[in-house]
Amino acid sequence: TNLTHHPTHNPTPTHAPDHPAYVIYTSGSTGRPKGVVNTHRNVVRLFDATRKWFGFGPDDVWTLFHSYAFDFSVWELWGALLHGGRLVVVPFEVSRTPGAFLDLLADERVTVLSQTPSAFYQLTQADADASRPSRRLGLRTVVFGGEALMPSRLADWYARHPDDAPVLVNMYGITETTVHVTYQPLNRHRATAAAASVIGLGLPDLRTYVLDGGLQLVVPGVVGELYVAGAGVARGYLGRPGLTAERFIADPYGSEPGARMYRTGDLVRWNQDGELEFIGRADHQVKIRGFRIEPGEIEAVLTDHPYVAEAAVVVRHEQSGDARLVAYVVAWEALRAEDVREFARERLPEYMVPAAVVLLDRMPLTANGKLDKAALPEPDFSVPAAGREARTPQEQLVCDLFAQVLGLPRVGVDDHFFDLGGHSLLATRLIAQIRAVFGVELELRSLFEGPTPAAVAALLDTAGPGRLALTVRQRPPVIPLSSAQRRLWFLHRMEGPSATYNIPLVIRLSGELDRDALRAALGDVVARHESLRTVFPEAEGVPCQQVLAPETAVPRLTITPTTETELPAALEAGARYAFDLTTEPPLRAELFTLSAQEHALLVVVHHIAGDGWSMGPLSRELTEAYTARVQGQAPDWPALPVQYADYTLWQNELLGDQNDPDSLFATQINYW
């Protein structure tokens, strides 16, 4: 009635095309999920943009295989409903039982299937099971997404379906761009020839850029980060304007003012055919013992094994702090883990060979059909001892040292160090333990040449005497500098006070903060480590170490009020503090207060007193000390066996005078 009486009235519709249609949460690097807001317009344009390739219609039968918390469900739900098709909701138990899922596909005459590669690989294994009755499927289209696809894994599927194989399509996508971004049809040739995951070209209404760190376009063949712009880009993250501004940034190549592009964090490159190849996540590389490793490279090698159907490589962190590569393998036929590891060793450098191979019946999947890394079982390194028992006390002691370094309950005298998960860094630790226990010096290569307790024990009687032991030293009136300290001192004197060698550590603190306890905790840590209260004056023109008394070196805790917006700049300014190493201890602390319940603690350490690895023990001990001080106690720490000044005196005594041609120092310099 109102509209009749007031024809000029134009009320706002309840749901306009650019209003939110759904919010789907994705994992966040901080552990806090972020909700992606997508619009009604984006959902409809997804199917408008892809209609020419698929020709979906009312005769199609789709599956709702994925959780509606995974954006693949948007494609599955609205793909059926917007085209008048039928949607089959797959029970959870069936989705995790490939054989039962194959039966459902046949019974329901499903024509359109959406799958993650991990789920489809399991489906192909069930399809290849000779004990199952063969059933003809009515699939017309299979769309892959959610994970990198290895085309070679599809060859067996094509071989078993020479006449009724559906059209297989690889579609890369991300939640922030309304499900799908690219389109790449596959064929039998690609399934046997392609080594990389080819994701094809962007949808017609999207723009895909491959950019370097300076947002410049890279040339074909060069790996860069994928950015996506155009009609399918989401509105942003719900209630997270800062994060939205960080990831949804201005498009410098857009033709319209205000155009945005989304930074995906995925690494891609243009191949010689003008198609995009997916390389991996920019943040999926791992660093183990100084080597940067892409687990996907190792997985690709393992799946080249004729009996390996699937492979996943993850990093396991041991209680000792050591990191190890572990491979999880699903095999077509009976296979030994040792055979898989030997296969990898023949094709990969030592640092990329998995420390353990775990054989599985099938890979665990998340509710979204992706690999569930949290459900992968822990590897068992406790391999039973093989062969004979130790015959001498030396052999038994070496077995015990092997077990101690490897973190195993026991090791047999003929067990292989590297087959039990050993690597070059652990080998160095083992040689050091042997040196400390037996007082002899073994070369590291001797362990690589004979990696069993029996072989090592056989060398003990002929090994040379061990190096000088590192113990507490009598302090002279003037303590010299170590080699590392001399380098940093020289640069400090040449440049003057600067922030070039500062190492910042930032700890976010939420909740009620006891500032007095924090000040006391900082004092506890500095008192425990002499290197954090050492200054470097000159004595008669020669630099030296002067260790300050704990009570005179308690760090001053600077309090700086700030806001969440101003915090990054404030932290950067604080991290640029210039130490005067001749008079000032090499540690500084500043507390930034954002509110009564939110703080950020910045601890800056000069490189002359620590390195990147030092930040772990520093943060742990600071936490322990603060916890104790809040409870009105001092931290209960065991005394340190040596301090850095002891190490300096030991190093100078061991290496000798560099001007003495017979000293170890001169011998090593001449060698290098």
Side-chain angles (χ1 to χ4, degrees):
T1 303
N2 288 337
L3 291 178
T4 302
H5 289 292
H6 303 280
T8 59
H9 179 58
N10 185 21
T12 301
T14 304
H15 294 291
D18 291 319
H19 283 181
Y22 65 86
V23 177
I24 286 183
Y25 282 81
T26 68
S27 60
S29 59
T30 63
R32 177 185 173 189
K34 48 189 187 290
V36 180
V37 181
N38 260 303
T39 66
H40 295 267
R41 186 189 303 276
N42 278 10
V43 175
V44 174
R45 51 80 24 205
L46 171 65
F47 293 99
D48 287 342
T50 57
R51 180 172 291 113
K52 65 177 182 178
W53 294 317
F54 294 106
F56 296 134
D59 295 332
D60 281 315
V61 180
W62 299 61
T63 58
L64 179 58
F65 180 90
H66 300 90
S67 163
Y68 55 76
F70 180 30
D71 70 333
F72 228 156
S73 65
V74 174
W75 173 260
E76 294 176 304
L77 278 165
W78 296 108
L81 299 179
L82 290 176
H83 297 92
R86 183 161 60 92
L87 182 66
V88 178
V89 180
V90 181
F92 179 80
E93 295 78 8
V94 174
S95 72
R96 295 301 178 267
T97 311
F101 186 40
L102 275 174
D103 290 337
L104 180 142
L105 295 177
D107 293 340
E108 297 291 345
R109 305 185 304 282
V110 172
T111 62
V112 182
L113 176 63
S114 298
Q115 291 276 270
T116 61
S118 292
F120 191 75
Y121 298 153
Q122 295 189 4
L123 197 65
T124 61
Q125 292 176 54
D127 185 60
D129 186 353
S131 63
R132 281 180 44 82
S134 177
R135 301 193 62 183
R136 186 178 181 86
L137 301 178
L139 289 175
R140 182 172 68 85
T141 305
V142 177
V143 176
F144 298 113
E147 289 178 322
L149 173 73
M150 300 180 66
S152 60
R153 301 286 298 280
L154 305 175
D156 290 334
W157 172 271
Y158 277 115
R160 290 192 303 275
H161 296 273
D163 302 319
D164 63 344
V167 175
L168 305 184
V169 180
N170 194 22
M171 297 188 76
Y172 163 88
I174 39 181
T175 308
E176 288 84 353
T177 54
T178 322
V179 191
H180 294 307
V181 172
T182 68
Y183 172 88
Q184 178 61 54
L186 305 170
N187 54 43
R188 296 176 193 275
H189 172 70
R190 283 189 179 277
T192 56
S197 179
V198 180
I199 58 176
L201 300 176
L203 303 189
D205 60 351
L206 293 178
R207 299 184 300 279
T208 53
Y209 309 126
V210 184
L211 307 179
D212 61 17
L215 299 185
Q216 298 299 307
L217 296 167
V218 303
V219 298
V222 174
V223 175
E225 187 171 349
L226 177 63
Y227 289 74
V228 181
V233 176
R235 281 176 44 167
Y237 297 116
L238 183 64
R240 306 283 292 276
L243 185 60
T244 298
E246 177 185 335
R247 304 296 297 188
F248 295 83
I249 62 177
D251 179 5
Y253 304 100
S255 58
E256 299 178 0
R260 300 179 309 150
M261 62 181 183
Y262 176 71
R263 178 184 180 184
T264 69
D266 288 323
L267 300 179
V268 298
R269 66 184 168 213
W270 296 106
N271 65 18
Q272 60 185 3
D273 296 322
E275 302 161 333
L276 287 171
E277 290 183 353
F278 179 83
I279 305 301
R281 285 289 299 172
D283 53 3
H284 276 189
Q285 281 190 343
V286 296
K287 190 173 184 180
I288 297 182
R289 304 184 297 280
F291 295 102
R292 293 197 178 275
I293 298 170
E294 178 63 60
E297 288 187 54
I298 306 174
E299 293 168 0
V301 168
L302 295 180
T303 52
D304 281 341
H305 191 290
Y307 293 163
V308 172
E310 290 184 77
V313 176
V314 301
V315 178
R316 290 287 189 184
H317 294 275
E318 308 297 321
Q319 291 184 349
S320 63
D322 186 38
R324 295 179 177 179
L325 288 169
V326 178
Y328 295 87
V329 167
V330 176
W332 296 108
E333 300 183 19
L335 189 63
R336 298 190 313 158
E338 295 81 3
D339 295 336
V340 178
R341 198 163 182 271
E342 186 60 32
F343 183 84
R345 185 181 284 116
E346 293 172 354
R347 291 160 176 79
L348 292 169
E350 181 268 335
Y351 65 87
M352 293 179 70
V353 176
V357 174
V358 180
L359 298 176
L360 302 175
D361 293 331
R362 82 173 47 140
M363 293 290 182
L365 302 181
T366 66
N368 296 339
K370 297 182 181 181
L371 177 67
D372 187 355
K373 292 184 179 180
L376 292 170
E378 291 283 348
D380 183 10
F381 290 102
S382 56
V383 179
R388 60 181 177 81
E389 295 293 324
R391 295 175 297 186
T392 66
Q394 287 90 344
E395 283 188 348
Q396 187 58 57
L397 279 173
V398 175
C399 286
D400 294 341
L401 292 177
F402 268 57
Q404 178 184 338
V405 169
L406 292 168
L408 301 178
R410 65 188 297 265
V411 171
V413 72
D414 294 316
D415 284 343
H416 194 291
F417 179 77
F418 299 102
D419 284 346
L420 296 179
H423 49 70
S424 55
L425 182 57
L426 288 180
T428 304
R429 295 178 187 173
L430 178 60
I431 292 297
Q433 292 281 49
I434 292 171
R435 180 188 304 128
V437 171
F438 292 99
V440 298
E441 195 68 43
L442 288 180
E443 293 186 10
L444 183 62
R445 71 178 181 184
S446 63
L447 182 61
F448 285 85
E449 294 170 351
T452 66
V456 171
L459 299 174
L460 296 178
D461 291 338
T462 57
R467 284 182 176 177
L468 181 69
L470 172 55
T471 58
V472 173
R473 291 304 202 260
Q474 182 69 36
R475 304 283 177 89
V478 177
I479 303 174
L481 272 58
S482 70
S483 298
Q485 288 175 329
R486 277 197 296 271
R487 290 194 295 273
L488 273 300
W489 176 87
F490 172 79
L491 292 168
H492 176 75
R493 293 291 303 203
M494 183 175 68
E495 294 182 0
S498 75
T500 304
Y501 291 96
N502 284 0
I503 306 172
L505 170 68
V506 179
I507 304 174
R508 286 298 297 257
L509 307 167
S510 297
E512 186 177 349
L513 179 66
D514 187 332
R515 295 183 181 179
D516 292 335
L518 181 57
R519 291 188 182 93
L522 287 165
D524 291 329
V525 173
V526 169
R528 178 171 169 77
H529 298 280
E530 288 183 354
S531 58
L532 297 179
R533 47 187 171 91
T534 298
V535 294
F536 302 89
E538 294 182 27
E540 299 181 357
V542 178
C544 62
Q545 297 184 59
Q546 180 181 345
V547 181
L548 303 179
E551 59 273 12
T552 64
V554 177
R556 175 175 175 266
L557 182 62
T558 303
I559 309 296
T560 304
T562 188
T563 65
E564 193 74 50
T565 303
E566 298 169 343
L567 179 61
L571 289 171
E572 183 176 352
R576 293 185 178 279
Y577 180 81
F579 290 96
D580 183 354
L581 298 179
T582 61
T583 60
E584 189 176 9
L587 181 144
R588 181 176 184 271
E590 186 170 3
L591 182 68
F592 295 92
T593 62
L594 290 83
S595 68
Q597 298 291 315
E598 290 292 330
H599 303 77
L601 175 65
L602 170 65
V603 179
V604 182
V605 179
H606 193 280
H607 192 22
I608 203 168
D611 58 16
W613 213 333
S614 307
M615 297 301 102
L618 175 61
S619 61
R620 286 195 300 272
E621 292 191 6
L622 184 57
T623 301
E624 293 168 2
Y626 177 76
T627 302
R629 289 297 180 179
V630 167
Q631 298 171 353
Q633 303 171 353
D636 183 18
W637 286 323
L640 295 174
V642 292
Q643 292 281 351
Y644 193 83
D646 299 312
Y647 165 79
T648 301
L649 296 171
W650 169 84
Q651 185 191 63
N652 280 272
E653 185 179 351
L654 173 70
L655 296 180
D657 185 354
Q658 60 181 311
N659 297 314
D660 178 1
D662 296 325
S663 68
L664 182 59
F665 189 108
T667 302
Q668 291 193 357
I669 288 294
N670 288 336
Y671 173 84
W672 290 110

